[in-house]
């Protein structure tokens, strides 16, 4: 099975968005029970709504399952009603943060430049930023998919990232929550383009994990991992239940 490099760990991240399952702590416990003590080159993380972050982090402590935020503010503190800084996420137990998700780019008008500032804030707080990029269906139909993703990537990363740990997530907007994911060929082609850009930005770009996201399911996971340069997945709907999420994790372990 092709991996970005034989020794590179895979990163499996669940994005609960503004959802909670019927019993989210129990689902997290089930993930922890399976992952506890595993040393298999797979890193698993759950990104719950902010109100659950601290409780989930405490609950998962020592299990090897990490927690993360779904966004952060660019400033570290101040009069920003309703916002959460990267430092506060870290204090609540987060180890990573999803940034530039298309639901924020589209719903909140987040620009590449703003995402880059957030990446900087996350790194300053010691979090691993997972920077999302991806084209819309209209852009793909116009043959602009790769150009859009390359532009987003260049704009959403600060220029001085050499030596800093971060991850990229390719999430075609048309595949998110759609029930139909990108094909292995589409994923492979875009991940190659992203790798290209990352290497052009800095030599360390050869090692940056590139995740795929968009209708990842237990059934489709093995095929996704067979695509070149897939260093993990960002999972929305299928991460809300331990059964489906763990089946995706199992595909990453294979
Ligand atoms: P989905 O969401 O797996 O439900 O398509 C993925 C995401 O938005 O990160």
């Amino acid at each position: 099975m092709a991996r970005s490099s034989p020794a590179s760990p895979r990163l499996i991240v669940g994005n609960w968005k503004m959802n909670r399952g019927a019993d989210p702590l129990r689902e997290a416990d089930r993930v922890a029970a399976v992952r506890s003590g595993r040393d298999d080159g797979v890193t698993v993380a759950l990104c719950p709504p902010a109100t659950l972050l601290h409780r989930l982090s405490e609950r998962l402590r020592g299990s090897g399952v990490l927690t993360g935020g779904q966004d952060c503010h660019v400033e570290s503190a101040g009069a920003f009603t309703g916002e959460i800084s990267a430092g506060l996420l870290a204090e609540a137990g987060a180890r990573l943060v999803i940034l530039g998700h298309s639901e924020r780019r589209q719903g909140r008008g987040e620009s590449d430049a703003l995402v880059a500032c957030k990446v900087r804030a996350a790194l300053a707080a010691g979090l691993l930023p997972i920077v999302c990029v991806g084209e819309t269906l209209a852009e793909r139909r116009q043959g602009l998919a790769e150009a859009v993703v390359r532009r987003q990537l260049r704009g959403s990363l600060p220029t001085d990232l050499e030596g800093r740990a971060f991850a990229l997530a390719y999430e075609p907007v048309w595949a998110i929550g759609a029930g139909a994911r990108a094909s292995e060929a589409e994923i492979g082609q875009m991940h190659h383009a992203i790798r290209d850009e990352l290497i052009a930005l800095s030599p360390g770009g050869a090692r940056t994990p590139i995740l795929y996201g968009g209708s990842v399911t237990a059934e489709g996971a093995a095929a996704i991992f067979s695509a070149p340069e897939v260093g993990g997945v960002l999972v929305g709907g299928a991460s809300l239940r331990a059964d489906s999420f763990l089946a995706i994790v199992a595909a990453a372990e294979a």
Side-chain angles (χ1 to χ4, degrees):
M1 192 169 288
R3 300 177 76 146
S4 40
S5 94
S8 58
R10 280 178 168 160
L11 186 54
I12 314 300
V13 181
N15 174 12
W16 286 2
K17 309 190 181 185
M18 201 171 71
N19 298 305
R20 71 191 300 285
D23 192 347
L25 297 182
R26 196 175 140 260
E27 299 299 326
D29 284 345
R30 292 179 55 208
V31 175
V34 169
R35 289 297 304 167
S36 226
R38 289 279 179 105
D39 181 16
D40 53 8
V42 177
T43 300
V44 176
L46 290 171
C47 300
T51 49
L52 280 171
L53 181 59
H54 185 250
R55 255 195 303 167
L56 209 66
S57 304
E58 290 294 302
R59 192 98 165 188
L60 294 172
R61 190 198 293 266
S63 71
V65 179
L66 309 179
T67 57
Q70 300 176 8
D71 178 46
C72 71
H73 197 267
V74 295
E75 298 292 343
S76 57
F80 301 104
T81 303
E83 300 288 350
I84 302 179
S85 69
L88 290 175
L89 291 175
E91 197 178 287
R95 299 276 300 279
L96 48 92
V97 61
I98 299 167
L99 295 174
H101 191 284
S102 61
E103 285 154 16
R104 297 199 63 86
R105 288 179 184 268
Q106 295 193 330
R108 296 297 195 95
E110 290 197 1
S111 65
D112 293 340
L114 181 72
V115 175
C117 291
K118 291 186 174 193
V119 171
R120 210 181 275 283
L123 289 170
L127 298 177
L128 176 86
I130 300 176
V131 182
C132 303
V133 292
E135 82 286 359
T136 63
L137 189 56
E139 289 163 341
R140 176 159 284 270
R141 285 192 172 141
Q142 291 168 62
L144 297 173
E146 202 178 298
V148 165
V149 165
R150 284 179 184 264
R151 193 190 63 223
Q152 283 180 342
L153 188 154
R154 286 195 295 266
S156 304
L157 296 177
T159 45
D160 51 352
L161 275 179
E162 187 57 34
R164 311 302 301 267
F166 66 99
L168 248 288
Y170 169 53
E171 295 210 305
V173 178
W174 46 272
I176 294 176
R181 62 175 175 83
S183 68
E184 289 93 284
E186 288 165 335
I187 296 170
Q189 192 184 359
M190 195 63 83
H191 280 217
H192 273 309
I194 292 172
R195 178 67 67 209
D196 230 41
E197 286 292 330
L198 288 170
I199 290 172
L201 284 172
S202 78
R207 292 186 307 277
T208 302
I210 308 171
L211 281 53
Y212 168 77
S215 295
V216 176
T217 59
E219 296 72 31
I224 292 169
F225 286 119
S226 75
E229 300 283 2
V230 173
V233 285
L234 183 50
V235 188
S239 70
L240 286 165
R241 290 193 45 248
D243 285 349
S244 43
F245 190 56
L246 282 168
I248 293 166
V249 172
E253 293 165 348

